[in-house]
Amino acid sequence: MGLFIHIHLIAAIAWIGGSIFMFILGITLLDKEKQQQVYPVIGPIFGYFELVSIVVLLLTGTVMIVDNGLYHML
């Protein structure tokens, strides 16, 4: 379980940290022209990053549930 919990925590930190970054970016970029310059560049990168993070979270969470016999608790 040790490896999976570490990977799970790193993925959770990356997922939440990326969301906070985009939230702060949305608040600070009030100029529509700057938004049109930044979002097309950062948006796709952020989308793939968040997709990978959520897939890793789901996979490691499922593996930890099965490995520790916690499936019956669900």
Side-chain angles (χ1 to χ4, degrees):
M1 179 173 134
L3 178 65
F4 290 116
I5 191 72
H6 287 98
I7 294 171
H8 191 80
L9 287 173
I10 290 169
I13 291 167
W15 185 52
I16 294 169
S19 298
I20 291 171
F21 169 72
M22 287 301 284
F23 176 73
I24 291 172
L25 187 64
I27 290 175
T28 57
L29 285 179
L30 299 177
D31 185 20
K32 295 291 181 187
E33 184 178 313
K34 289 181 183 177
Q35 287 178 357
Q36 290 176 353
Q37 292 173 352
V38 172
Y39 285 140
V41 175
I42 296 206
I45 297 169
F46 174 74
Y48 292 125
F49 179 74
E50 293 295 300
L51 182 63
V52 169
S53 294
I54 196 74
V55 167
V56 169
L57 279 170
L58 291 172
L59 289 175
T60 56
T62 304
V63 168
M64 288 188 297
I65 286 172
V66 171
D67 281 350
N68 294 309
L70 301 174
Y71 188 72
H72 68 279
M73 295 180 82
L74 296 177

